[in-house]
Amino acid sequence: MDIAPPPDTEPDDLLQAALLRLQRDTGADLVLLGEVLSEPVMRVRSLCCRLDGRWLESFSYLLDTHPCGAVPADGGYRYLADAAGLFPQAYLLKDNGLRAYAGLPVCLHAGQPNGMLVIMSRQGFAAPAQLHARLAQLAGECVFRHGVLADAVERARLLEAGRVGDAFFREYVLDNPTGVSFSEYMPPVPIDLPEAELVDRLLSTAFVVACNRAMARMFGFADVAGFLGQRPLDLNGPDKGLRVIEYWRRMNYDIRDVESQTVDAEGNISWVRGSALGSLRDGKLAHFWTKRSDITAQKRYESAIQHKVHHDALTDLPNRYWLQDRMAELIEDHGRRGLRFCVGLLDLNGFKEINDTLGHAVGDLLLKSIARRLLKGLKPLGAELARLGGDEFAILIPETASTAQGERMAQAVRALLSEPFVIEDLNLPIDGSLGLAMFPDWSDSAEGMLRLADVAMYSAKQGGHPHLWYHPEIDKHSKRRLALFSSLAAAVQHDEMFLEYQPKIDAQSGQVAGFEALIRWQHPSHGLIPPLDFIPFAETSAAIGALTRWVLGEAIRQGGEWLAQGRALGVAVNISARNLLDEQLEPYILACLAEHAYPARLLELEITESAVMTRPAQAMVVLQSLRSHGISITIDDFGTGYSSLAYLARLPVTSLKVDRGFVKDMLRSDTDQQIVRAIIGLAHQCRLLVVAEGVEDAETLRALRGMGCDQLQGYLIARPLRRQAAGTWLAAHEAKPDRLAF
C-alpha cells in the first residue's frame, strides 16, 4: 500500500527526504533503510522504503536468501551487478524485476551495525564506483548517530513496533472469544475512604476505556463502541453491582477465575468464568481489567458426564454410584439425628428366560417399561428408584419410623408387577423377589446395607417369597462368600487361576496392537467364579497383592513367548488402588521383565480413574516411577469416575480407555456419541492414545474410526481367549487380507 507524499514533492519527513535524495543521486529504482532482527528468524524489517515513485508500507524479507545476508557477517559494503542471477530466491528482487544491488550496514542504535541501507536497480547503476561513498555519506555518524535524522529513524522504528502491536491486539484480543475489558477510575479512588463513599465511587466512577467484541456481546451490546464508557453500576445494576463490589473488596481487588451462573431476559441459563484485577497505586485504585469466558458448553459437557456417571444408560434411572452416594448422605444425616431408612433390592423373576427367548432388544424394552411403571407407582410413597444392572433394581425409602412403610412399598411393588407388560404386541408376565433391610438395625454403612438387602433378596427368591426382611438367621450367602474369600489366597497355589487374553487392534490398519490379560477362577467345588464375585473382595485385602503379582508374572511370560516367536505384542494387566501401596510391585515387575526378556515398553498397566482419584498423590509417585522404566500407563473405564483430563494430564498416563457404557449406546444416543467424540478429541490434545472397549458391531467400529479413535477392543473383534486359542486367533487374523472386515 502506498503512503504519502506524492513522488514529485519533497517530503517534510527528514528520513524520507534523505532517502529520496539518495534515490535521485544514484538512479536507484528502490532505496530502503531497514532494521536487522534476529528473532524469531533473521530478517530485515523496512523502516522507510521507496520503490519507483511510491513510498511503501513496512515489510520484512529474509536474510539467508538475499544478497544482504552476507553484509552483517562481512561488516562492510557490498555491490553486485547481477544480484538477481546470484540469488534466485531473493523474492524482493524477483518480484520487482530488480537486478543490481548495493548495500551497507548502518548503526541505528546502541552503536551496533544493526541496520541496512540498500539501493537496487533494474538496469544497473551509471556510476557504480561512486555508490559506496554516497551510501557512506548518508550512513555516517553525523547522520545516524546524532541530530534530527537519528530521531526520525527512531520514530520510524517505534511507529512500526506500534503498528505490529496494534495488529496483534486487533487480531488476537479483539477477535478472541474470551471477553476482555479495561476500565479506568476517573480520578483514582483512595481505598481508605469511608465505606459508603468508597462503594459509591467504585460503582460509579470507573469507565470502560478499551474492550474487545466478545466482552461487548456478553453484556448484550452490538459492538465495542456501545460498551465503551460503561460503569460497573450500568453493567450490573445497583443490587448485583453492590454484591460484586463487596466481594471484590474482600478479595483485595483481585478476583481470578471465579465461576458464576447468569440468566438472560429470555430465561436462558449460561455459565461464565471471570477475573477482575485492580491496580493499586499509592493507596488508590487507578484502574482494573476484567476477563470473562463463556463456559456454558463446558458445564453442559460436565453435567452430561456426571449424569452418565450416576444414571443407567438404558432406563435413565439413577445407578449404583448414585445409590451409594445417596445412602452415604442418609447414613451421615440419620445417624446424627437418630432416624431410620429402608433399602430394598428387587430381582426380576423370569426375565432371563424372556431375554434369551425373545432377544436383548425385547428385554431392553421390557426393562424400560418396568422402570417407568415402578417409578410412577412408587412416587406417592416417597420411594426413590435406581437400577443396579441387569434385572436388579434398588428402592430407597429415605425416612421411615418402622417397617410398616417398607411393607406398603413391598405390596405396591407386587401390585405393579402383577399386570403383564405389553411389548411388541406380546403380553409378558413377570414378577420379582424383594429383599429389605432397615438402617441402622444390622449395619451402619452403605455397602453393608446393600449386602443385607442382597442376602434377603436371595433368600426370598430361594424360598419363593415375594419379599423378605433381612435377619441374621437367613444370612447363608454371606457364609458362601466368606468361604470363597478365605480360599482365594490358596487358589493361586492350587493352580485354580488362569488367564484369558482379549485382543486390541489398531483402528485404522486392523493390525493387532496387543492383548489385555484377564484373570479367571475355576473353583473345584463352585465351578467358574465370575471376576466380579471375587475381585472386589480381593481388593479390600492383602490377597489382591498375590493375585496381581501372579497375573503380572503369567502375562509377562506369555508376552515373552510371543516375542520369541517374532511377535512384539503388548500385554495389558489391570492393577487396583491397593496395588499402588505395594512397595514390592515395581521391583517384582522389573524382575519379571528381565527374566522373560520382555521389553518394558510392551507392558501396559491399566488402572481405573476412580482408583487413581482415591489416592492421587500416591498414584502420582508410583505411576511416575513405573513410567520412568518405559512401562505404559492406561486409565481404564474413563468417563465413569470424577476426574478430568486436566488432572490426568499431570499424571504419566499414556492412554485412555473409553468406558464400554459410552461406546455401547453411542449409535442410539447423541449424548453418548458427543461424549465419546469429546473424550477422543481432548485426549489427543493431551497427546494420549485412546482405546474404545465394548465394540460389538461393525457400525460402531466404523463410527469410532471416523472419530479418530486409536485402538478398538470388544466382542466384534474377539472374546477373551485362552492362551492357545489366542495364538490360533492371532495367526488367523494376521492372514486376513482385510483385517477390519468382521
Side-chain angles (χ1 to χ4, degrees):
M1 181 177 180
D2 299 347
I3 59 175
D8 56 347
T9 63
E10 190 75 17
D12 294 331
D13 185 282
L14 292 177
L15 181 57
Q16 287 187 355
L19 293 182
L20 179 58
R21 286 194 298 273
L22 178 63
Q23 185 179 30
R24 290 170 177 170
D25 291 347
T26 60
D29 294 298
L30 179 144
V31 58
L32 177 148
L33 176 67
E35 181 179 19
V36 178
L37 301 173
S38 59
E39 296 294 339
V41 294
M42 287 294 294
R43 69 192 190 280
V44 172
R45 183 184 66 188
S46 69
L47 299 176
C48 190
C49 180
R50 184 176 175 84
L51 175 64
D52 299 327
R54 298 169 293 140
W55 294 101
L56 304 183
E57 284 191 348
S58 179
F59 61 91
S60 296
Y61 60 89
L62 296 175
L63 275 174
D64 58 359
T65 59
H66 202 276
C68 63
V71 175
D74 294 348
Y77 169 74
R78 166 166 285 205
Y79 170 72
L80 296 171
D82 186 22
L86 294 172
F87 293 90
Q89 298 301 315
Y91 296 122
L92 181 59
L93 290 103
K94 182 178 179 180
D95 293 346
N96 296 288
L98 300 166
R99 189 164 194 83
Y101 167 92
L104 185 70
V106 296
C107 300
L108 296 180
H109 50 84
Q112 299 294 324
N114 44 24
M116 294 292 304
L117 182 60
V118 172
I119 56 175
M120 303 182 194
S121 172
R122 296 187 179 91
Q123 302 300 325
F125 295 103
Q130 302 174 9
L131 296 179
H132 187 188
R134 188 66 187 90
L135 291 173
Q137 179 184 355
L138 184 58
E141 284 192 31
C142 62
V143 175
F144 285 107
R145 293 188 186 176
H146 306 288
V148 292
L149 191 53
D151 294 337
V153 172
E154 186 62 19
R155 283 198 304 273
R157 290 182 63 254
L158 294 175
L159 284 172
E160 173 56 17
R163 185 185 70 82
V164 172
D166 289 345
F168 182 81
F169 178 81
R170 285 195 305 273
E171 297 301 323
Y172 180 75
V173 179
L174 290 183
D175 290 334
N176 197 293
T178 298
V180 181
S181 68
F182 184 87
S183 298
E184 185 176 353
Y185 279 101
M186 304 181 186
V189 180
I191 61 172
D192 59 355
L193 290 172
E195 182 176 356
E197 183 181 356
L198 175 61
V199 170
D200 180 64
R201 287 183 60 175
L202 292 177
L203 278 170
S204 305
T205 65
F207 298 86
V208 177
V209 296
C211 74
N212 65 356
R213 298 181 185 92
M215 184 65 87
R217 286 195 296 266
M218 286 181 186
F219 281 92
F221 290 87
D223 51 32
V224 168
F227 191 69
L228 296 178
Q230 296 294 315
R231 305 171 300 166
L233 182 62
D234 304 323
L235 298 173
N236 297 288
D239 295 334
K240 182 180 177 182
L242 183 61
R243 294 194 302 272
V244 170
I245 290 296
E246 289 293 343
Y247 180 65
W248 196 37
R249 289 177 58 207
R250 288 200 305 273
M251 301 304 294
N252 198 28
Y253 308 101
D254 190 324
I255 298 175
R256 298 173 188 264
D257 296 327
V258 173
E259 296 181 1
S260 61
Q261 193 179 68
T262 63
V263 182
D264 62 18
E266 286 75 31
N268 299 312
I269 297 175
S270 60
W271 283 86
V272 297
R273 180 184 292 118
S275 299
L277 308 181
S279 175
L280 286 170
R281 297 178 181 175
D282 300 324
K284 296 180 180 180
L285 196 63
H287 58 260
F288 66 91
W289 71 270
T290 57
K291 180 179 71 172
R292 287 168 63 96
S293 301
D294 188 334
I295 57 172
T296 305
Q298 174 188 334
K299 286 294 184 180
R300 288 174 180 168
Y301 168 75
E302 292 175 355
S303 177
I305 289 289
Q306 288 299 314
H307 184 85
K308 182 69 177 179
V309 167
H310 290 97
H311 287 76
D312 171 55
L314 178 65
T315 63
D316 203 39
L317 288 175
N319 61 13
R320 183 181 295 272
Y321 296 110
W322 174 89
L323 181 65
Q324 289 174 332
D325 289 347
R326 177 70 170 127
M327 290 176 66
E329 292 175 0
L330 291 175
I331 288 170
E332 181 179 359
D333 176 76
H334 289 21
R336 184 176 62 251
R337 299 165 58 197
L339 301 177
R340 308 177 78 192
F341 71 84
C342 171
V343 63
L345 288 187
L346 173 67
D347 187 80
L348 301 177
N349 299 326
F351 175 78
K352 185 178 185 301
E353 289 73 14
I354 293 174
N355 203 44
D356 292 345
T357 303
L358 300 178
H360 292 289
V362 171
D364 287 350
L365 292 174
L366 177 58
L367 288 173
K368 289 181 180 180
S369 184
I370 291 171
R372 286 194 297 268
R373 187 183 292 182
L374 290 175
L375 188 64
K376 182 179 179 180
L378 295 176
K379 187 175 181 180
L381 299 178
E384 299 171 358
L385 184 66
R387 182 187 176 215
L388 304 188
D391 59 350
E392 191 173 51
F393 294 83
I395 305 169
L396 189 67
I397 301 178
E399 189 170 328
T400 179
S402 66
T403 59
Q405 193 169 353
E407 286 289 335
R408 287 196 295 272
M409 179 264 285
Q411 296 299 329
V413 169
R414 187 175 184 183
L416 290 168
L417 296 180
S418 63
E419 184 178 348
F421 292 85
V422 180
I423 307 294
E424 294 186 351
D425 297 327
L426 296 173
N427 288 331
L428 302 178
I430 199 165
D431 62 5
S433 300
L434 179 65
L436 300 166
M438 183 75 75
F439 173 85
D441 291 358
W442 305 106
S443 177
D444 59 357
S445 71
E447 183 179 352
M449 290 294 296
L450 287 175
R451 192 191 76 79
L452 301 184
D454 185 58
V455 168
M457 181 268 292
Y458 274 107
S459 293
K461 185 180 287 287
Q462 287 185 343
H465 306 292
H467 73 277
L468 201 64
W469 287 91
Y470 175 82
H471 192 275
E473 294 177 358
I474 65 171
D475 202 350
K476 299 176 182 178
H477 290 278
S478 61
K479 296 177 182 178
R480 174 183 178 273
R481 293 180 182 181
L482 182 60
L484 286 176
F485 182 67
S486 63
S487 63
L488 186 58
V492 173
Q493 300 174 359
H494 297 160
D495 294 325
E496 296 172 12
M497 299 293 180
F498 64 94
L499 292 184
E500 290 186 336
Y501 298 88
Q502 187 171 27
K504 297 183 290 186
I505 65 169
D506 184 278
Q508 304 303 319
S509 67
Q511 292 182 339
V512 178
F515 287 84
E516 181 181 2
L518 301 168
I519 190 171
R520 301 291 186 260
W521 185 7
Q522 185 67 44
H523 194 279
S525 302
H526 301 287
L528 186 63
I529 309 297
L532 288 178
D533 280 1
F534 67 89
I535 292 295
F537 292 101
E539 288 180 337
T540 63
S541 73
I544 192 64
L547 275 182
T548 302
R549 284 192 289 274
W550 180 84
V551 174
L552 282 164
E554 285 296 301
I556 292 172
R557 183 194 60 76
Q558 181 59 60
E561 184 178 317
W562 281 326
L563 187 62
Q565 297 170 2
R567 294 183 172 113
L569 296 172
V571 177
V573 175
N574 292 277
I575 62 174
S576 72
R578 197 177 183 94
N579 292 134
L580 298 178
L581 301 176
D582 185 359
E583 295 180 355
Q584 299 304 313
L585 178 67
E586 182 178 328
Y588 179 83
I589 291 175
L590 297 179
C592 288
L593 292 173
E595 178 184 354
H596 299 289
Y598 191 60
R601 62 180 175 80
L602 294 179
L603 178 62
E604 180 180 348
L605 300 180
E606 294 189 7
I607 185 167
T608 62
E609 61 175 314
S610 57
V612 171
M613 298 307 294
T614 299
R615 297 181 178 90
Q618 180 77 16
M620 179 76 76
V621 174
V622 175
L623 296 180
Q624 281 181 339
S625 182
L626 291 167
R627 185 72 188 102
S628 69
H629 297 289
I631 298 169
S632 300
I633 307 296
T634 294
I635 299 299
D636 196 12
D637 298 337
F638 183 77
T640 62
Y642 302 93
S643 60
S644 67
L645 278 171
Y647 178 81
L648 293 176
R650 300 200 300 270
L651 290 169
V653 175
T654 54
S655 59
L656 299 180
K657 258 192 173 183
V658 184
D659 181 67
R660 68 180 70 249
F662 296 113
V663 175
K664 176 185 176 183
D665 299 312
M666 67 179 226
L667 296 182
R668 298 185 294 274
S669 168
D670 290 339
T671 299
D672 283 1
Q673 190 170 141
Q674 291 302 319
I675 289 173
V676 172
R677 191 185 303 276
I679 290 175
I680 293 173
L682 290 171
H684 285 169
Q685 287 293 318
C686 295
R687 298 182 180 180
L688 299 178
L689 197 75
V690 183
V691 184
E693 57 181 351
V695 181
E696 298 185 358
D697 55 73
E699 291 79 10
T700 302
L701 182 146
R702 287 191 290 269
L704 289 166
R705 289 186 69 200
M707 293 178 186
C709 187
D710 301 296
Q711 294 180 5
L712 308 172
Q713 181 180 1
Y715 284 1
L716 175 67
I717 297 152
R719 291 175 177 269
L721 303 164
R722 295 290 290 267
R723 181 182 63 83
Q724 186 173 356
T728 303
W729 178 91
L730 182 60
H733 186 77
E734 289 174 339
K736 275 181 160 184
D738 183 1
R739 293 170 180 164
L740 283 172
F742 291 93

